[in-house]
Each structure stands twice: as C-alpha cells, then as structure tokens.
Amino acid sequence: MNYNRLNTKKEYLKVISYLNKLEVVCNFENHSEFLRFLQIYMRSLTRLGICHAREYLDDYSNFEQASTQIAKLELIKKQLVNTKIHHQSLGIVAMQDDLTIIIAFLDKLLEIIQFNINLANLQSNNDRRAGLQVNRSHLESFDNLENC
C-alpha cells in the first residue's frame, strides 16, 4: 500500500474502498510502516483536492502517539462530515459517494489505532504469528488498481 502512487482520485478511492472491506486484526499505531502509510494517504487527501488535511498533518514529530493520530484523524473526519452535510443541504450529489468512502476509511484507520491487540503482542504470542503473506488474488487486485 505504501508503494502505490495514488495519481488520481479514482485510484485513491479504489484503494481505500478495498481497505475498508478488510478485517482489523491488530493495532499498528507505533509501527513505522503504518505511520508512513498514514502520511501518504492523508497527504493524498490534500494533493488530490479532496479536502484540506495538510493543516492537521504538517507536524509529524509526535504523530507516533496514538492520541495524536486519533485527534488529527477525528478533525479530518469532522471536516469531511461537515462538507458532506453542506453538500447535501445544497443538493450537490457529485461527491456524496466519495465522501462516504473516505469517511469510512477514516473510521477504519481509527479502528486500527484503537484496536486492543497491538502488533508487538500479536508477534510475541506463541499461539499466533503475524507475518507477511502474499495472496495471489490480492496481488491481482492491486495490479488491477494500477491499470485504472
């Protein structure tokens, strides 16, 4: 996910729609790859013209703290929910589905950060092992996303 270029809003929405369907199995909030993932996907909100999230995400110095992540994601979510409500009141339907997907994505990120099993505990548990698994169908899905 960290290596997807996210060149278009359509590509961004396809990727996060896919992520929204995945089950949360552990909390990654202190894992460096998750922090990088947050930076890439949150900056893309601004870069792709979806919303102005940069003001919440300019300072990553203490973004490792779950409380900071939650606070910033909640602020972005509030902004998007207000935008969606405003669009509905004006009868603008063009962005409604996109905003619904993005709000669900923010909810998924909050769920990951607040999940009660973290990656370190999952890896240290003798009964369960966390690791990288390559699933052919997932690779094909990501390849298809690049061809959008």
Side-chain angles (χ1 to χ4, degrees):
M1 304 314 281
N2 285 346
Y3 303 104
N4 191 321
R5 289 189 231 42
L6 302 173
N7 292 325
T8 66
K9 184 166 50 169
K10 181 180 177 183
E11 184 178 298
Y12 182 83
L13 291 169
K14 273 194 155 189
V15 171
I16 66 172
S17 292
Y18 176 78
L19 291 172
N20 287 346
K21 296 174 189 172
L22 298 177
E23 178 185 353
V24 176
V25 294
C26 68
N27 170 331
F28 292 98
E29 102 259 352
N30 290 321
H31 194 272
S32 63
E33 287 300 312
F34 182 69
L35 294 174
R36 184 169 182 258
F37 169 82
L38 281 176
Q39 291 173 353
I40 291 167
Y41 282 76
M42 293 300 98
R43 284 181 178 160
S44 293
L45 284 172
T46 299
R47 186 176 51 80
L48 296 171
I50 297 167
C51 79
H52 299 289
R54 190 169 303 274
E55 64 192 79
Y56 305 119
L57 303 169
D58 274 345
D59 180 19
Y60 286 98
S61 59
N62 43 337
F63 202 66
E64 302 86 32
Q65 300 170 357
S67 60
T68 303
Q69 294 171 7
I70 291 167
K72 290 183 178 192
L73 292 172
E74 288 286 357
L75 286 171
I76 296 167
K77 180 181 170 186
K78 182 179 177 182
Q79 177 185 349
L80 291 172
V81 168
N82 288 340
T83 300
K84 184 176 178 182
I85 291 168
H86 184 67
H87 284 193
Q88 287 172 335
S89 71
L90 297 173
I92 301 170
V93 295
M95 287 285 294
Q96 293 298 312
D97 291 340
D98 294 352
L99 290 170
T100 299
I101 293 167
I102 297 165
I103 291 166
F105 176 61
L106 294 172
D107 285 335
K108 181 64 76 171
L109 292 174
L110 289 164
E111 181 184 356
I112 291 168
I113 294 166
Q114 296 170 332
F115 202 73
N116 60 356
I117 300 172
N118 68 29
L119 183 61
N121 290 343
L122 188 62
Q123 288 176 328
S124 66
N125 185 343
N126 291 331
D127 298 330
R128 298 169 120 186
R129 296 211 184 266
L132 178 64
Q133 294 181 341
V134 177
N135 183 323
R136 280 272 177 232
S137 64
H138 292 153
L139 287 176
E140 291 170 8
S141 296
F142 289 119
D143 288 342
N144 289 338
L145 288 173
E146 275 195 346
N147 297 328
C148 293

